[in-house]
Amino acid sequence: MPRSIWNGTITFGQVNVPIKLYSATESKTVHFNELHAKDKARIEHRRFCSKENKEVPYEEVVKGYEVSGGKYVVLEKEEVAAADPSGGKVVELEHFVHASEIDPVFYDHTYYVGAQDGGEDAYRLLLGALRRSERVGIGRFVFHNKEQLVALRALDGHLGLHTVRFADELVSGRDLDIPKPQKQPAKREVDMAGRLVDTLASVFDPAKYEDTYRKSVQKLIKQKAAGKEPEPPKEPSDGKPPDDLMAALEASLDA
Amino acid sequence: MPKSSRGIWNGSLSFGLVNVPVSLVSSVRDLGVHFTQIHEKDGAPIDTRRFCSKEDKEVPYEQIVAGYELKKGKWVTLTDEDFEAVEPRKTRTIDIEAFVPAEQVDPIYFDHPYFLVPAGGEGGARAYRLLVRVMKDSDRLALGRFVLRTKEYLAAVHVRDDALALTTMLFHDEVRPTKGIEKAGGKTHAPSKKAVDNAVALIEELTTDWKPSRYKDRHRERLLDIIDRKRKGRTIEAPEPQEEPEPVPDLMAALEESLASARKKSRSNGRSRSRGGGGKKKSRAKAKS
């Protein structure tokens, strides 16, 4: 059984939906620890005062915000906590928007929403109404000591919640320095590239894409554990842009 | 501004036999308020130093390797060269494997958004422009895989703001199944048609255009304000605690009341003014930043 990471209430209008949150994702990356190469002993991170050159116990560490070179404003834990409303565990939906209007670039983390005991009717009602109206609820809640903007939507037969990035956090393509070619691609090249796209057209089947790097790392760990040295890698091709774009496109279509 | 020279990954996007040299730059700015650890006594910043737990001595960074614990106390160590040798092609190349309809990819798979910036002179810029042209009007995502630092990502390449954008994605086994999460299935909790009608009507009353700039990061603003007040020597008060609402005993009554109050509010406010263009109007808001 999955374990919930947060319990609270979604509100919209005067309707309250008691819910639980679950992580929807998990990293499967192989994790390593830092070791001292010489004796394979674990590395410890220790805190030192940069002035006294002495180790500092955790209780003597406070949070500082650098206001100018080397000058810090120190905040107590309670003062940092004062940045967010405390107590009530509420996701207050402020608006609803058409699901198709939100570019997924705004979505950050994803969580699954489960119904709490006694909240089943309200949960089903909200899920049914979001589905039928094809809307997404936009709201805020305090999570991990930080007020988050969130989007609530129907997801795989459940309610799903995304934390949402703020508009000023996103870089626009217009802010980038993208070099323009002196010569634009010719119509024939665009047509050929379009045909190449068509030959690679497929349906999205997530299970088709395996993390082969993860598997190779696991294999390498086994080899090294058995005392075998890994084979030296084959040098990959250099990835130069084509001198003749048209010839490269033609060769790709023939391949 | 992000510049191509500041790419966090440099390599090439490979489309058939066409290589497009690119740099990867994040499309998310870190605007978070960051704190430094400070020694309370003397206000000096804290340094983190790495120590060998056996020798009790400080260890320079070059002498640190990655260790994988096979079983308690038995370690296999991997060096940077070992990691580089694992998948050399994928550390430098994003091979486009397929083009799939964008609507088939649920946003749950998306991890972090980036832009790709061309890096290979005139030839690279032309090949890049060709891909932008071809993908611009297509509602397909180009899928490929590559290794960033020491992790492989599935990635979706598409066009945003007339540039190639890349979004790293999770692998299928990194998205958890929904099994075991209470969704109040079955007939017992099925809402009546009238209840759903009312809930949809309420949602429509509360519907507005998606205008991301309307939402400010209040956490960031308040934290910066607290820092400012503290600097000026003022006291910081704890915020008012919020109350947690009780579940409503009568769902239908709560819906009807909410609907009546939402309608009254939108009539008295003149919704086009307060809701930024009217709730029912369907317009396509493009992601602006």
Side-chain angles (χ1 to χ4, degrees), chain A residues 14 16 24 33 42 46 50 53 64 83-84 86 95 101 112 121 124 153 169-170 173 189 204 210 212-214 224 252, chain B residues 17 29 36 45 49 53 56 67 82 90 104 106 126 145 152 161 173 176 184 189 210 215 219 222 242 246 257-258 289:
Chain A
Q14 290 161 44
N16 303 326
N33 289 103
R42 288 288 292 271
R46 300 186 186 170
S50 56
N53 199 26
D84 294 296
S86 63
H95 308 116
E101 285 184 18
Y112 293 133
D121 291 348
R124 275 285 287 275
R153 66 175 178 112
E169 290 177 297
L170 289 173
E189 288 166 336
F204 180 55
E210 290 287 346
T212 57
Y213 183 83
R214 189 200 307 163
K224 287 201 117 186
S252 306
Chain B
L17 296 167
R29 290 183 186 96
T36 309
R49 301 185 189 169
S53 56
D56 198 28
D82 288 336
K90 277 192 189 141
Q104 289 180 2
D106 191 280
R126 267 190 86 217
R145 281 175 287 181
E152 180 174 357
D161 306 331
D173 57 353
R176 290 188 170 156
H189 301 292
W210 168 238
Y215 307 98
H219 171 82
R222 288 188 293 233
Q242 272 182 324
E246 296 287 321
E257 244 174 77
S258 311
S289 55

Short mmCIF file of all heavy atoms in Angstrom, two decimals, chain A residues 14 16 24 33 42 46 50 53 64 83-84 86 95 101 112 121 124 153 169-170 173 189 204 210 212-214 224 252, chain B residues 17 29 36 45 49 53 56 67 82 90 104 106 126 145 152 161 173 176 184 189 210 215 219 222 242 246 257-258 289:
data_model
loop_
_atom_site.label_atom_id
_atom_site.label_comp_id
_atom_site.label_asym_id
_atom_site.label_seq_id
_atom_site.Cartn_x
_atom_site.Cartn_y
_atom_site.Cartn_z
N GLN A 14 -18.29 26.36 -1.06
CA GLN A 14 -18.44 25.91 0.33
C GLN A 14 -18.33 24.40 0.44
O GLN A 14 -18.70 23.81 1.44
CB GLN A 14 -19.77 26.39 0.88
CG GLN A 14 -19.77 27.90 1.07
CD GLN A 14 -21.16 28.47 1.16
OE1 GLN A 14 -22.01 27.92 1.84
NE2 GLN A 14 -21.40 29.56 0.49
N ASN A 16 -16.22 21.02 0.81
CA ASN A 16 -14.93 20.57 1.33
C ASN A 16 -14.70 19.11 0.96
O ASN A 16 -15.59 18.30 1.10
CB ASN A 16 -14.89 20.68 2.85
CG ASN A 16 -15.18 22.08 3.31
OD1 ASN A 16 -14.81 23.05 2.64
ND2 ASN A 16 -15.85 22.19 4.45
N ALA A 24 3.56 10.74 -6.88
CA ALA A 24 3.20 10.00 -8.09
C ALA A 24 4.44 9.49 -8.81
O ALA A 24 4.33 8.69 -9.72
CB ALA A 24 2.38 10.89 -9.02
N ASN A 33 27.39 6.51 -2.60
CA ASN A 33 27.86 7.29 -1.47
C ASN A 33 29.28 7.76 -1.74
O ASN A 33 30.02 7.08 -2.44
CB ASN A 33 27.85 6.42 -0.20
CG ASN A 33 26.44 6.15 0.28
OD1 ASN A 33 25.92 5.06 0.08
ND2 ASN A 33 25.81 7.14 0.86
N ARG A 42 33.63 5.77 4.52
CA ARG A 42 32.61 6.77 4.21
C ARG A 42 33.13 8.18 4.47
O ARG A 42 33.89 8.41 5.40
CB ARG A 42 31.37 6.55 5.10
CG ARG A 42 30.55 5.34 4.74
CD ARG A 42 29.79 5.53 3.46
NE ARG A 42 28.72 6.52 3.56
CZ ARG A 42 27.49 6.23 3.94
NH1 ARG A 42 27.16 5.01 4.26
NH2 ARG A 42 26.57 7.17 3.99
N ARG A 46 31.28 17.76 7.54
CA ARG A 46 31.29 18.40 8.86
C ARG A 46 31.21 19.91 8.69
O ARG A 46 31.78 20.47 7.77
CB ARG A 46 32.55 18.03 9.63
CG ARG A 46 32.65 16.52 9.85
CD ARG A 46 33.81 16.18 10.75
NE ARG A 46 33.97 14.73 10.82
CZ ARG A 46 35.01 14.13 11.37
NH1 ARG A 46 35.99 14.84 11.90
NH2 ARG A 46 35.08 12.81 11.40
N SER A 50 33.86 29.42 9.53
CA SER A 50 34.93 29.89 8.64
C SER A 50 35.85 30.89 9.35
O SER A 50 36.96 31.14 8.91
CB SER A 50 34.32 30.52 7.39
OG SER A 50 33.43 31.55 7.74
N ASN A 53 37.64 28.42 12.45
CA ASN A 53 38.24 27.19 11.97
C ASN A 53 38.01 26.03 12.94
O ASN A 53 38.89 25.22 13.20
CB ASN A 53 39.75 27.43 11.73
CG ASN A 53 40.32 26.37 10.81
OD1 ASN A 53 39.60 25.78 10.00
ND2 ASN A 53 41.61 26.10 10.95
N GLY A 64 21.11 32.47 7.32
CA GLY A 64 21.47 33.84 7.01
C GLY A 64 21.18 34.16 5.56
O GLY A 64 21.37 33.32 4.68
N ALA A 83 6.60 33.36 7.00
CA ALA A 83 6.33 33.70 5.60
C ALA A 83 5.08 33.00 5.07
O ALA A 83 4.58 33.35 4.01
CB ALA A 83 7.53 33.35 4.72
N ASP A 84 4.60 32.00 5.79
CA ASP A 84 3.43 31.26 5.30
C ASP A 84 2.39 31.12 6.38
O ASP A 84 2.73 31.00 7.55
CB ASP A 84 3.87 29.87 4.82
CG ASP A 84 4.75 29.96 3.61
OD1 ASP A 84 4.26 30.43 2.58
OD2 ASP A 84 5.94 29.61 3.72
N SER A 86 0.02 29.35 8.86
CA SER A 86 0.25 28.05 9.48
C SER A 86 -1.07 27.42 9.89
O SER A 86 -2.11 28.06 9.86
CB SER A 86 1.11 28.23 10.72
OG SER A 86 0.41 29.02 11.64
N HIS A 95 -9.69 29.41 -8.73
CA HIS A 95 -10.31 29.49 -10.05
C HIS A 95 -10.32 28.12 -10.69
O HIS A 95 -9.61 27.23 -10.25
CB HIS A 95 -9.48 30.35 -11.02
CG HIS A 95 -9.12 31.69 -10.53
ND1 HIS A 95 -7.83 32.07 -10.32
CD2 HIS A 95 -9.89 32.76 -10.23
CE1 HIS A 95 -7.80 33.32 -9.89
NE2 HIS A 95 -9.04 33.75 -9.83
N GLU A 101 -5.69 25.06 -21.88
CA GLU A 101 -5.00 26.36 -21.91
C GLU A 101 -3.64 26.32 -21.23
O GLU A 101 -2.80 27.18 -21.46
CB GLU A 101 -5.84 27.44 -21.21
CG GLU A 101 -7.02 27.91 -22.01
CD GLU A 101 -7.74 29.06 -21.30
OE1 GLU A 101 -7.16 29.68 -20.40
OE2 GLU A 101 -8.90 29.29 -21.64
N TYR A 112 -0.58 12.12 -6.52
CA TYR A 112 -1.91 11.54 -6.64
C TYR A 112 -2.72 11.97 -5.42
O TYR A 112 -2.17 12.11 -4.32
CB TYR A 112 -1.84 10.02 -6.66
CG TYR A 112 -1.18 9.42 -7.88
CD1 TYR A 112 -0.21 8.42 -7.75
CD2 TYR A 112 -1.54 9.83 -9.16
CE1 TYR A 112 0.38 7.85 -8.86
CE2 TYR A 112 -0.95 9.26 -10.28
CZ TYR A 112 0.02 8.28 -10.12
OH TYR A 112 0.62 7.71 -11.22
N ASP A 121 -17.86 10.85 -1.14
CA ASP A 121 -18.89 11.44 -2.01
C ASP A 121 -18.39 12.74 -2.63
O ASP A 121 -18.56 12.98 -3.83
CB ASP A 121 -20.17 11.73 -1.20
CG ASP A 121 -20.86 10.44 -0.79
OD1 ASP A 121 -20.47 9.37 -1.31
OD2 ASP A 121 -21.78 10.49 0.05
N ARG A 124 -15.71 12.05 -5.34
CA ARG A 124 -16.28 11.60 -6.61
C ARG A 124 -16.97 12.73 -7.35
O ARG A 124 -16.92 12.82 -8.58
CB ARG A 124 -17.29 10.48 -6.34
CG ARG A 124 -16.65 9.11 -6.25
CD ARG A 124 -16.22 8.57 -7.60
NE ARG A 124 -17.34 8.12 -8.41
CZ ARG A 124 -17.88 6.93 -8.31
NH1 ARG A 124 -17.40 6.05 -7.45
NH2 ARG A 124 -18.89 6.58 -9.07
N ARG A 153 -6.41 18.19 -11.27
CA ARG A 153 -7.08 17.71 -12.49
C ARG A 153 -7.43 16.23 -12.36
O ARG A 153 -6.95 15.54 -11.44
CB ARG A 153 -6.18 17.93 -13.71
CG ARG A 153 -4.91 17.09 -13.68
CD ARG A 153 -4.12 17.28 -14.97
NE ARG A 153 -2.89 16.52 -14.95
CZ ARG A 153 -2.64 15.47 -15.74
NH1 ARG A 153 -3.52 15.03 -16.60
NH2 ARG A 153 -1.47 14.85 -15.65
N GLU A 169 9.26 32.59 -13.24
CA GLU A 169 10.32 31.59 -13.14
C GLU A 169 10.67 31.00 -14.51
O GLU A 169 11.68 30.31 -14.65
CB GLU A 169 9.89 30.44 -12.23
CG GLU A 169 9.80 30.81 -10.77
CD GLU A 169 9.30 29.64 -9.93
OE1 GLU A 169 8.16 29.19 -10.13
OE2 GLU A 169 10.07 29.18 -9.08
N LEU A 170 9.79 31.21 -15.49
CA LEU A 170 10.01 30.58 -16.79
C LEU A 170 10.74 31.51 -17.75
O LEU A 170 10.40 32.68 -17.88
CB LEU A 170 8.68 30.13 -17.39
CG LEU A 170 8.04 28.95 -16.67
CD1 LEU A 170 6.65 28.69 -17.21
CD2 LEU A 170 8.91 27.70 -16.79
N GLY A 173 11.68 31.77 -24.89
CA GLY A 173 12.61 31.56 -25.99
C GLY A 173 13.14 32.87 -26.55
O GLY A 173 14.23 32.92 -27.11
N GLU A 189 14.37 20.95 -48.64
CA GLU A 189 14.93 20.38 -47.41
C GLU A 189 13.84 20.21 -46.35
O GLU A 189 13.79 19.20 -45.64
CB GLU A 189 16.05 21.28 -46.87
CG GLU A 189 17.30 21.21 -47.72
CD GLU A 189 18.29 22.34 -47.41
OE1 GLU A 189 17.87 23.41 -46.90
OE2 GLU A 189 19.47 22.13 -47.68
N PHE A 204 2.73 6.79 -28.52
CA PHE A 204 3.53 6.85 -27.29
C PHE A 204 3.28 5.62 -26.44
O PHE A 204 2.20 5.41 -25.92
CB PHE A 204 3.20 8.11 -26.49
CG PHE A 204 4.01 8.21 -25.22
CD1 PHE A 204 5.39 8.16 -25.24
CD2 PHE A 204 3.38 8.36 -23.99
CE1 PHE A 204 6.14 8.25 -24.07
CE2 PHE A 204 4.11 8.47 -22.81
CZ PHE A 204 5.50 8.40 -22.85
N GLU A 210 13.49 2.05 -22.28
CA GLU A 210 14.12 1.57 -21.05
C GLU A 210 15.28 2.48 -20.70
O GLU A 210 15.93 3.05 -21.58
CB GLU A 210 14.66 0.14 -21.25
CG GLU A 210 13.59 -0.92 -21.40
CD GLU A 210 12.88 -1.24 -20.09
OE1 GLU A 210 13.38 -0.84 -19.01
OE2 GLU A 210 11.81 -1.87 -20.16
N THR A 212 18.57 2.35 -20.24
CA THR A 212 19.67 1.40 -20.46
C THR A 212 20.92 1.80 -19.67
O THR A 212 21.74 0.96 -19.32
CB THR A 212 20.04 1.29 -21.96
OG1 THR A 212 20.37 2.59 -22.42
CG2 THR A 212 18.89 0.73 -22.76
N TYR A 213 21.04 3.11 -19.39
CA TYR A 213 22.20 3.58 -18.63
C TYR A 213 22.18 2.99 -17.22
O TYR A 213 23.18 2.50 -16.72
CB TYR A 213 22.17 5.10 -18.58
CG TYR A 213 23.36 5.73 -17.89
CD1 TYR A 213 24.55 5.93 -18.57
CD2 TYR A 213 23.28 6.12 -16.56
CE1 TYR A 213 25.64 6.52 -17.95
CE2 TYR A 213 24.37 6.70 -15.92
CZ TYR A 213 25.54 6.91 -16.62
OH TYR A 213 26.62 7.48 -15.99
N ARG A 214 20.99 3.04 -16.61
CA ARG A 214 20.82 2.48 -15.27
C ARG A 214 21.25 1.01 -15.28
O ARG A 214 22.00 0.57 -14.41
CB ARG A 214 19.36 2.61 -14.86
CG ARG A 214 19.05 2.28 -13.43
CD ARG A 214 17.56 1.95 -13.22
NE ARG A 214 16.66 2.98 -13.72
CZ ARG A 214 15.36 2.78 -13.94
NH1 ARG A 214 14.81 1.60 -13.71
NH2 ARG A 214 14.61 3.76 -14.39
N LYS A 224 32.67 -5.12 -11.56
CA LYS A 224 33.75 -4.67 -10.67
C LYS A 224 33.76 -5.47 -9.38
O LYS A 224 34.82 -5.73 -8.82
CB LYS A 224 33.60 -3.17 -10.39
CG LYS A 224 33.97 -2.32 -11.59
CD LYS A 224 34.31 -0.91 -11.14
CE LYS A 224 35.74 -0.56 -11.43
NZ LYS A 224 36.14 0.74 -10.89
N SER A 252 19.45 9.76 -44.88
CA SER A 252 18.63 9.32 -43.76
C SER A 252 17.38 8.61 -44.24
O SER A 252 16.96 7.61 -43.67
CB SER A 252 18.20 10.52 -42.91
OG SER A 252 19.31 11.28 -42.52
N LEU B 17 20.42 11.06 -40.15
CA LEU B 17 21.87 11.24 -40.24
C LEU B 17 22.25 12.71 -40.11
O LEU B 17 23.38 13.09 -40.36
CB LEU B 17 22.38 10.66 -41.56
CG LEU B 17 22.17 9.14 -41.69
CD1 LEU B 17 22.40 8.68 -43.11
CD2 LEU B 17 23.07 8.39 -40.73
N ARG B 29 14.10 29.71 -14.15
CA ARG B 29 15.02 30.56 -13.38
C ARG B 29 14.88 30.19 -11.92
O ARG B 29 13.76 30.01 -11.44
CB ARG B 29 14.60 32.03 -13.48
CG ARG B 29 14.81 32.66 -14.80
CD ARG B 29 14.42 34.16 -14.70
NE ARG B 29 14.49 34.73 -16.03
CZ ARG B 29 13.44 34.87 -16.83
NH1 ARG B 29 12.23 34.53 -16.41
NH2 ARG B 29 13.58 35.36 -18.04
N THR B 36 22.16 30.96 3.67
CA THR B 36 23.49 30.41 3.95
C THR B 36 23.48 29.97 5.40
O THR B 36 22.86 30.63 6.24
CB THR B 36 24.56 31.51 3.76
OG1 THR B 36 24.35 32.12 2.48
CG2 THR B 36 25.96 30.96 3.83
N PRO B 45 29.94 32.63 8.08
CA PRO B 45 29.35 31.53 7.31
C PRO B 45 30.00 30.19 7.66
O PRO B 45 31.17 30.14 8.06
CB PRO B 45 29.63 31.89 5.85
CG PRO B 45 30.22 33.25 5.84
CD PRO B 45 30.60 33.63 7.23
N ARG B 49 33.11 20.70 5.21
CA ARG B 49 34.37 20.03 4.86
C ARG B 49 34.17 18.53 4.88
O ARG B 49 33.43 18.00 5.70
CB ARG B 49 35.47 20.42 5.86
CG ARG B 49 35.68 21.92 5.87
CD ARG B 49 36.85 22.32 6.75
NE ARG B 49 36.88 23.77 6.89
CZ ARG B 49 37.65 24.42 7.75
NH1 ARG B 49 38.45 23.75 8.56
NH2 ARG B 49 37.63 25.74 7.81
N SER B 53 35.89 9.09 7.52
CA SER B 53 35.36 8.66 8.81
C SER B 53 36.33 7.72 9.54
O SER B 53 36.26 7.57 10.75
CB SER B 53 34.01 7.96 8.60
OG SER B 53 34.14 6.90 7.70
N ASP B 56 39.65 10.28 10.30
CA ASP B 56 39.30 11.52 10.97
C ASP B 56 40.14 12.70 10.43
O ASP B 56 40.57 13.56 11.18
CB ASP B 56 39.49 11.36 12.49
CG ASP B 56 38.72 12.45 13.26
OD1 ASP B 56 37.69 12.91 12.72
OD2 ASP B 56 39.16 12.84 14.34
N GLY B 67 30.81 5.25 -4.23
CA GLY B 67 30.76 3.89 -3.71
C GLY B 67 29.35 3.34 -3.72
O GLY B 67 28.41 4.04 -3.39
N ASP B 82 34.88 5.62 -15.20
CA ASP B 82 33.95 4.49 -15.30
C ASP B 82 32.59 4.98 -15.76
O ASP B 82 31.96 4.37 -16.64
CB ASP B 82 33.78 3.80 -13.93
CG ASP B 82 35.02 3.00 -13.53
OD1 ASP B 82 35.78 2.60 -14.43
OD2 ASP B 82 35.21 2.78 -12.32
N LYS B 90 25.48 8.21 -25.60
CA LYS B 90 24.36 8.94 -24.99
C LYS B 90 24.80 10.12 -24.14
O LYS B 90 23.98 10.96 -23.79
CB LYS B 90 23.53 7.98 -24.14
CG LYS B 90 22.52 7.20 -24.96
CD LYS B 90 21.54 6.52 -24.07
CE LYS B 90 20.67 5.56 -24.84
NZ LYS B 90 20.43 4.34 -24.07
N GLN B 104 -0.80 12.29 -26.47
CA GLN B 104 -0.70 10.96 -25.86
C GLN B 104 0.25 10.93 -24.66
O GLN B 104 0.31 9.94 -23.94
CB GLN B 104 -0.20 9.95 -26.90
CG GLN B 104 -1.23 9.64 -27.98
CD GLN B 104 -0.70 8.64 -28.99
OE1 GLN B 104 0.42 8.15 -28.89
NE2 GLN B 104 -1.52 8.35 -30.00
N ASP B 106 1.07 12.13 -21.16
CA ASP B 106 0.53 12.84 -19.99
C ASP B 106 1.65 13.65 -19.33
O ASP B 106 2.78 13.16 -19.21
CB ASP B 106 -0.05 11.84 -18.99
CG ASP B 106 -0.85 12.55 -17.91
OD1 ASP B 106 -0.24 13.09 -16.95
OD2 ASP B 106 -2.08 12.58 -18.03
N ARG B 126 21.64 26.20 -39.48
CA ARG B 126 20.69 25.84 -40.54
C ARG B 126 19.95 24.55 -40.22
O ARG B 126 18.74 24.45 -40.42
CB ARG B 126 21.43 25.69 -41.88
CG ARG B 126 21.44 26.97 -42.69
CD ARG B 126 21.95 26.71 -44.08
NE ARG B 126 20.89 26.28 -44.96
CZ ARG B 126 21.04 25.37 -45.91
NH1 ARG B 126 22.19 24.78 -46.10
NH2 ARG B 126 20.02 25.06 -46.70
N ARG B 145 16.71 9.69 -26.07
CA ARG B 145 17.29 9.47 -24.74
C ARG B 145 18.70 10.03 -24.70
O ARG B 145 19.40 10.01 -25.70
CB ARG B 145 17.33 7.96 -24.43
CG ARG B 145 15.99 7.43 -23.98
CD ARG B 145 16.03 5.95 -23.80
NE ARG B 145 16.08 5.27 -25.09
CZ ARG B 145 16.10 3.96 -25.23
NH1 ARG B 145 16.10 3.17 -24.17
NH2 ARG B 145 16.13 3.42 -26.42
N GLU B 152 20.41 8.81 -17.03
CA GLU B 152 19.81 8.83 -18.36
C GLU B 152 18.38 9.37 -18.27
O GLU B 152 17.67 9.10 -17.30
CB GLU B 152 19.76 7.41 -18.95
CG GLU B 152 19.15 7.39 -20.34
CD GLU B 152 19.21 6.02 -21.03
OE1 GLU B 152 19.77 5.08 -20.46
OE2 GLU B 152 18.66 5.92 -22.14
N ASP B 161 8.22 29.12 -28.53
CA ASP B 161 8.72 30.47 -28.84
C ASP B 161 9.71 30.45 -30.00
O ASP B 161 10.77 31.10 -29.93
CB ASP B 161 9.42 31.11 -27.62
CG ASP B 161 8.55 31.12 -26.37
OD1 ASP B 161 7.32 31.18 -26.51
OD2 ASP B 161 9.11 31.08 -25.27
N ASP B 173 8.84 3.23 -15.34
CA ASP B 173 8.84 2.64 -14.00
C ASP B 173 9.13 3.67 -12.91
O ASP B 173 9.18 3.33 -11.73
CB ASP B 173 9.82 1.45 -13.91
CG ASP B 173 11.25 1.84 -14.28
OD1 ASP B 173 11.48 2.99 -14.72
OD2 ASP B 173 12.14 0.99 -14.13
N ARG B 176 4.58 6.07 -10.57
CA ARG B 176 3.98 5.04 -9.72
C ARG B 176 2.60 4.66 -10.22
O ARG B 176 1.87 5.49 -10.75
CB ARG B 176 3.88 5.55 -8.30
CG ARG B 176 5.23 5.69 -7.64
CD ARG B 176 5.06 6.01 -6.18
NE ARG B 176 6.34 5.92 -5.51
CZ ARG B 176 6.64 6.56 -4.37
NH1 ARG B 176 5.73 7.33 -3.81
NH2 ARG B 176 7.80 6.42 -3.82
N ALA B 184 -12.68 6.19 -4.14
CA ALA B 184 -14.10 6.12 -3.87
C ALA B 184 -14.85 5.58 -5.09
O ALA B 184 -15.83 6.15 -5.54
CB ALA B 184 -14.63 7.51 -3.49
N HIS B 189 -20.60 5.57 -3.90
CA HIS B 189 -20.28 7.00 -3.83
C HIS B 189 -20.55 7.75 -5.13
O HIS B 189 -20.15 8.89 -5.28
CB HIS B 189 -18.83 7.18 -3.40
CG HIS B 189 -18.54 6.55 -2.07
ND1 HIS B 189 -19.07 7.04 -0.90
CD2 HIS B 189 -17.83 5.45 -1.75
CE1 HIS B 189 -18.66 6.28 0.10
NE2 HIS B 189 -17.92 5.30 -0.39
N TRP B 210 -6.67 31.30 -18.30
CA TRP B 210 -5.38 30.98 -17.67
C TRP B 210 -4.42 32.13 -17.91
O TRP B 210 -3.99 32.36 -19.04
CB TRP B 210 -4.85 29.67 -18.24
CG TRP B 210 -3.42 29.34 -17.89
CD1 TRP B 210 -2.40 29.13 -18.76
CD2 TRP B 210 -2.86 29.16 -16.58
NE1 TRP B 210 -1.25 28.85 -18.09
CE2 TRP B 210 -1.49 28.85 -16.75
CE3 TRP B 210 -3.36 29.23 -15.27
CZ2 TRP B 210 -0.63 28.61 -15.68
CZ3 TRP B 210 -2.51 28.99 -14.20
CH2 TRP B 210 -1.16 28.69 -14.42
N TYR B 215 -0.69 35.04 -10.83
CA TYR B 215 -0.32 34.39 -9.58
C TYR B 215 1.11 34.77 -9.21
O TYR B 215 2.04 34.48 -9.94
CB TYR B 215 -0.45 32.86 -9.72
CG TYR B 215 -1.81 32.48 -10.23
CD1 TYR B 215 -2.02 32.20 -11.57
CD2 TYR B 215 -2.90 32.43 -9.36
CE1 TYR B 215 -3.28 31.88 -12.05
CE2 TYR B 215 -4.17 32.11 -9.82
CZ TYR B 215 -4.35 31.84 -11.17
OH TYR B 215 -5.59 31.53 -11.64
N HIS B 219 4.99 33.34 -1.14
CA HIS B 219 5.99 32.85 -0.19
C HIS B 219 7.28 33.65 -0.35
O HIS B 219 7.85 34.14 0.62
CB HIS B 219 6.25 31.36 -0.45
CG HIS B 219 7.40 30.80 0.31
ND1 HIS B 219 7.30 30.39 1.61
CD2 HIS B 219 8.70 30.59 -0.05
CE1 HIS B 219 8.48 29.96 2.02
NE2 HIS B 219 9.35 30.06 1.03
N ARG B 222 6.78 37.36 0.75
CA ARG B 222 6.70 37.52 2.22
C ARG B 222 8.04 37.27 2.89
O ARG B 222 8.42 37.96 3.83
CB ARG B 222 5.62 36.60 2.79
CG ARG B 222 4.22 37.09 2.45
CD ARG B 222 3.14 36.30 3.17
NE ARG B 222 3.12 34.93 2.69
CZ ARG B 222 2.01 34.32 2.23
NH1 ARG B 222 0.85 34.95 2.23
NH2 ARG B 222 2.07 33.08 1.81
N GLN B 242 -4.55 29.31 10.15
CA GLN B 242 -5.74 29.04 9.33
C GLN B 242 -6.56 27.96 10.02
O GLN B 242 -6.02 27.13 10.73
CB GLN B 242 -5.31 28.45 7.98
CG GLN B 242 -5.01 29.46 6.92
CD GLN B 242 -4.65 28.73 5.63
OE1 GLN B 242 -4.03 27.68 5.64
NE2 GLN B 242 -5.06 29.29 4.51
N GLU B 246 -14.40 21.70 8.32
CA GLU B 246 -15.03 20.40 8.59
C GLU B 246 -15.67 19.92 7.31
O GLU B 246 -16.12 20.72 6.50
CB GLU B 246 -16.13 20.59 9.65
CG GLU B 246 -15.63 21.04 11.00
CD GLU B 246 -14.91 19.93 11.73
OE1 GLU B 246 -15.38 18.77 11.65
OE2 GLU B 246 -13.87 20.21 12.34
N GLU B 257 -25.68 26.44 -2.26
CA GLU B 257 -25.33 27.70 -1.61
C GLU B 257 -24.15 28.37 -2.30
O GLU B 257 -24.14 29.58 -2.55
CB GLU B 257 -24.96 27.45 -0.15
CG GLU B 257 -25.89 28.10 0.84
CD GLU B 257 -25.53 27.66 2.24
OE1 GLU B 257 -24.52 28.19 2.76
OE2 GLU B 257 -26.22 26.78 2.80
N SER B 258 -23.10 27.54 -2.64
CA SER B 258 -21.90 28.08 -3.29
C SER B 258 -22.25 28.66 -4.65
O SER B 258 -21.76 29.71 -5.04
CB SER B 258 -20.86 26.98 -3.51
OG SER B 258 -20.65 26.25 -2.35
N SER B 289 6.21 34.34 -20.23
CA SER B 289 7.04 34.42 -19.05
C SER B 289 7.61 35.82 -18.92
O SER B 289 7.54 36.62 -19.82
CB SER B 289 8.15 33.40 -19.11
OG SER B 289 8.86 33.57 -20.30
#
